[in-house]
Amino acid sequence: MKKILATATAIVALAVGIGSANAADKLKACWMYVGPHNDGGYSEGHDVGRQMVQKELGDKVETSYVESIAEGPDAERALERLARSGCEIIFSTSFGFMDPTIKVAAKFPKVKFEHATGFKTAPNVGTYNARFYEGRYIAGQIAAKQSKSGVAGYIVSFPIPEVVMGINSFMLGAQSINPDFKLKIVWVNSWFDPAKEADAAKALFDQGADIITQHTDSPAPLQIAQERGLHGFGQAHNMYDFAPKAQYTAIIDTWGPYYVKRVNAVLDGTWKAEQIWDGLKDGILHMADYTNLPDDVVASAKDTQAKIEAGTLHPFKGPIFKQDGTEVIGEGKTLDDGTLLSMNWYVKGIDDKLPQ
Amino acid sequence: MLEGILLTIITAATPLLFASIGELVTERSGVLNLGVEGMMAMGAVIGFAVAHSTGNIALGVVGAILAGMAMAALFGVVTLIFVANQVASGLALTLFGLGLSGLIGDAFVGVPGAGLARVSIPGLSELPVVGLLLRLDPLTYLAVAITTAVSWFLFRMRGGLILRAVGDSHVSAHALGYSVIRVRFMAVLFGGACSGLAGAYLSLVYTPQWTQAMTAGRGWIALALVVFGTWLPGRVAIGALLFGGVSILQLHAQALGVGVPSQFLSALPYLTTVIVLVIISRNRALVRANTPAALGQSFVPDR
């Protein structure tokens, strides 16, 4: 028994030794996900990006990830562990990781941090985000064209600016086609709970919505849409396989090229903390193939997409009014990024009250 | 719309009913198994994996039952034979089940499942209200059947009497010549089978897909429902319907635009359960009459 133990210890020691020897000449890049790395949605989108880094940079990097980290104190502990374990750049990929990232970054000034979808920065903390709202505007237009009842359902996670911005953009898109379009909103207070998301979809359909969209991460709502012969949009990932008859299109995050660029910047020493917010034209955001739609709707969706990419159409172009009718921005002007990233009000036409 | 709501309430209650009725039998035998969530997760992944690989959903359900029982057997060996602490072992079983299911299910993430079709009887299923009860999925009927059978078994059959005797006083039952360990092991296995079914319901009926942690805490709610139902099958069923009902109705309330904060509405099912629990617990005599007196106590037969 003693001998086995000794051998085992030797092997472990050897393995650790080899591990640290390798780590010395490889850049260690680490990721932290809010959900499972293969959730079929948001976190998987980031993991696909990580794999691209590993593939493109090969021997120069060693990538690793931690998954299903709860937003809050757990996130802080996980980040600290990553920083201590020798990660030189850490991508923390959920809005709720923002404060933990800033806090841990202050303790590890030599480690570089990049936080997805947040707005706080530090000398060693950059932020990056995709302009999801561009895709949601297109989805809103499609919904208004396709809906018979004129009501869409929206399943949402938490009342943070990113989510509110998406709701408003979807609604503005829909209103650009049908000014009387209605939106029913259900908060499930979770990023990922397939059964609850499915129940929310059922409730929305039962109350007259005939199209759903979501800002939660599982394909369950689309499965319900398919079961009922109705339609919806995929979120963060192409969910076509789960509901081939129900998905119109999906907003797909494509983080890979950005990750490669940033890790390369660390490798050649040019990394600086920046705030990056790219959209459809930069390729960080993709629309899944337009399916289950008549040709003219596909054509107009593609047209809108081209205009957004060309910069001739901005979803948040004035005049925009708040729920109570006050004007946020006048004709011809566009909301600036700061306003978008701190959005905590609904546009006119949404009946729901925003949880504060 | 009303029918739709009723239907979703029943669907939401079914996995909870499966898991809690199984745990009820386990606890009635004097064993506290906190591993329900882990057993459910294993049932969900094995159920999905088998159904997907064989193309046969019935086989998937059988697989889920066996997976739940295998987990329960592990718990039984550790706590009944090696007399480990039940609370610690149950918690470990949950963590183990969640982790292992993630590992096993890795290849099945992002794979769409077929889903179990609803039963429908032409003509009858179209009737209002009654018709609704005739077009549920087969597993829901099974859940009702199991609940009825458990109630019958516990209070009308000799075996049930022995099981309750073991749960109330293992020393006396042992003195009378009953094998405490065997009775408890069977009760634990039954609980595992039911938890497996609850998991299968999630991954095969509720949302035909597998993803890690898709049980989302439902195993813990099932554990609470057993206490909520004061260890009586009928009450546990009512508790499951109540919890399912409030969680569905709060979604409807939101879709209707009720001006109450969504966070409060989301917490409502839990709040309601706690409040009803408090009200029920005021009748101490009744709670004491039904609480298995030897719950959570290990039994070591003197040799």
Side-chain angles (χ1 to χ4, degrees):
Chain A
M1 187 67 195
K2 249 185 185 166
K3 204 173 174 186
I4 298 174
L5 262 181
T7 320
T9 322
I11 290 171
V12 170
L14 203 65
V16 172
I18 290 167
S20 54
N22 270 349
D25 40 45
K26 276 186 182 179
L27 175 79
K28 205 167 168 195
C30 307
W31 276 258
M32 182 164 92
Y33 308 136
V34 71
H37 73 282
N38 50 7
D39 63 354
Y42 183 78
S43 292
E44 185 162 340
H46 286 283
D47 199 57
V48 169
R50 177 191 65 81
Q51 290 165 26
M52 189 171 166
V53 171
Q54 189 66 72
K55 212 174 120 202
E56 296 225 340
L57 303 180
D59 290 344
K60 284 187 272 181
V61 291
E62 181 191 338
T63 67
S64 67
Y65 64 84
V66 288
E67 61 185 344
S68 302
I69 304 295
E71 297 179 338
D74 276 355
E76 207 177 308
R77 275 196 293 273
L79 277 171
E80 216 173 307
R81 215 190 70 209
L82 287 178
R84 278 191 206 291
S85 76
C87 300
E88 285 156 84
I89 179 161
I90 300 172
F91 296 94
S92 66
T93 64
S94 187
F95 181 81
F97 295 159
M98 180 166 66
D99 290 331
T101 305
I102 296 291
K103 235 168 135 180
V104 175
K107 284 194 220 167
F108 297 90
K110 281 191 188 143
V111 182
K112 296 160 179 74
F113 292 83
E114 296 235 355
H115 177 245
T117 77
F119 53 81
K120 293 186 185 168
T121 54
N124 60 335
V125 183
T127 62
Y128 62 104
N129 201 348
R131 294 182 185 265
F132 309 108
Y133 67 86
E134 295 179 343
R136 293 191 185 276
Y137 186 85
I138 301 173
Q141 284 194 331
I142 294 174
K145 288 198 170 162
Q146 288 296 102
S147 173
K148 290 190 183 74
S149 61
V151 182
Y154 208 126
I155 302 165
V156 263
S157 48
F158 299 101
I160 55 172
E162 173 191 335
V163 171
V164 178
M165 188 192 344
I167 296 173
N168 283 338
S169 185
F170 183 90
M171 190 57 168
L172 289 172
Q175 284 173 342
S176 73
I177 305 293
N178 171 8
D180 297 323
F181 199 76
K182 292 267 177 296
L183 207 53
K184 282 183 181 289
I185 298 167
V186 170
W187 300 88
V188 292
N189 293 302
S190 165
W191 282 115
F192 188 80
D193 182 345
K196 204 169 176 189
E197 292 169 52
D199 285 337
K202 288 177 196 163
L204 288 163
F205 285 139
D206 283 338
Q207 292 194 16
D210 58 359
I211 286 174
I212 43 159
T213 189
Q214 62 188 85
H215 207 139
T216 51
D217 296 342
S218 93
L222 271 177
Q223 285 183 316
I224 300 300
Q226 169 134 329
E227 198 182 294
R228 302 225 176 174
L230 296 168
H231 298 89
F233 301 94
Q235 148 77 7
H237 207 73
N238 196 344
M239 295 175 174
Y240 177 83
D241 287 344
F242 282 92
K245 289 184 194 131
Q247 182 179 289
Y248 282 147
T249 181
I251 301 159
I252 307 176
D253 308 327
T254 319
W255 306 105
Y258 175 76
Y259 284 153
V260 173
K261 196 169 85 186
R262 298 304 279 171
V263 173
N264 255 329
V266 179
L267 281 170
D268 57 29
T270 56
W271 190 94
K272 264 197 340 259
E274 290 170 33
Q275 285 195 288
I276 308 284
W277 201 17
D278 289 344
L280 281 169
K281 74 168 164 30
D282 314 285
I284 203 165
L285 182 69
H286 274 115
M287 301 303 285
D289 288 345
Y290 297 101
T291 46
N292 301 308
L293 288 165
D295 291 344
D296 60 318
V297 178
V298 173
S300 87
K302 284 186 171 162
D303 180 52
T304 303
Q305 189 179 337
K307 281 182 183 154
I308 291 175
E309 283 170 8
T312 53
L313 191 159
H314 192 292
F316 287 101
K317 192 171 179 185
I320 294 172
F321 300 92
K322 281 190 193 179
Q323 265 179 324
D324 58 10
T326 52
E327 194 181 73
V328 187
I329 193 151
E331 179 85 52
K333 280 187 254 171
T334 305
L335 284 184
D336 59 83
D337 287 355
T339 314
L340 290 178
L341 287 171
S342 59
M343 200 170 259
N344 61 352
W345 42 267
Y346 280 145
V347 295
K348 203 176 161 190
I350 296 177
D351 293 334
D352 201 53
K353 196 168 163 282
L354 180 65
Q356 293 292 342
Chain B
M1 180 165 129
L2 187 66
E3 280 205 3
I5 296 178
L6 284 174
L7 201 65
T8 33
I9 290 176
I10 295 171
T11 336
T14 302
L16 298 175
L17 182 57
F18 269 128
S20 51
I21 212 72
E23 179 66 13
L24 181 145
V25 171
T26 307
E27 291 192 15
R28 275 283 185 172
S29 81
V31 180
L32 180 67
N33 184 353
L34 296 180
V36 179
E37 180 89 0
M39 298 190 293
M40 267 176 85
M42 282 298 283
V45 71
I46 298 293
F48 186 88
V50 172
H52 187 266
S53 314
T54 61
N56 186 332
I57 291 183
L59 277 181
V61 172
V62 173
I65 294 175
L66 293 177
M69 287 174 85
M71 292 288 283
L74 188 65
F75 177 80
V77 168
V78 169
T79 59
L80 299 176
I81 297 175
F82 293 107
V83 209
N85 180 292
Q86 290 178 10
V87 172
S89 309
L91 290 172
L93 192 70
T94 284
L95 296 175
F96 175 61
L98 287 174
L100 186 63
S101 62
L103 189 68
I104 295 174
D106 208 47
F108 295 96
V109 177
V111 178
L116 193 54
R118 294 223 167 83
V119 176
S120 96
I121 307 156
L124 288 177
S125 294
E126 279 79 58
L127 292 171
V129 189
V130 188
L132 168 78
L133 298 176
L134 294 173
R135 52 186 156 85
L136 300 165
D137 52 88
L139 284 185
T140 302
Y141 297 118
L142 183 63
V144 175
I146 288 179
T147 310
T148 319
V150 162
S151 188
W152 182 265
F153 172 79
L154 280 180
F155 303 107
R156 293 275 183 283
M157 281 172 72
R158 193 181 149 76
L161 192 64
I162 298 170
L163 181 91
R164 285 189 290 140
V166 166
D168 276 331
S169 170
H170 45 221
V171 179
S172 312
H174 179 67
L176 285 171
Y178 295 115
S179 169
V180 173
I181 304 291
R182 193 194 302 160
V183 169
R184 286 192 170 163
F185 210 100
M186 277 155 62
V188 167
L189 284 182
F190 179 80
C194 288
S195 291
L197 273 169
Y201 193 80
L202 286 176
S203 68
L204 293 176
V205 182
Y206 216 129
T207 50
Q209 53 169 292
W210 156 256
T211 32
Q212 205 179 335
M214 70 182 295
T215 44
R218 282 173 184 77
W220 297 108
I221 295 163
L223 276 164
L225 284 176
V226 177
V227 184
F228 173 94
T230 58
W231 293 271
L232 292 171
R235 286 199 179 192
V236 165
I238 293 170
L241 275 173
L242 178 76
F243 189 88
V246 179
S247 34
I248 297 297
L249 288 176
Q250 66 94 1
L251 294 172
H252 277 275
Q254 283 195 47
L256 280 171
V258 173
V260 181
S262 70
Q263 295 91 335
F264 176 75
L265 288 174
S266 280
L268 209 54
Y270 304 89
L271 272 179
T272 318
T273 315
V274 168
I275 290 168
V276 177
L277 191 63
V278 168
I279 293 170
I280 285 179
S281 305
R282 291 185 66 191
N283 189 345
R284 280 169 177 267
L286 182 127
V287 176
R288 205 175 303 144
N290 289 312
T291 311
L295 183 61
Q297 294 173 20
S298 299
F299 176 68
V300 188
D302 37 17
R303 276 169 263 243

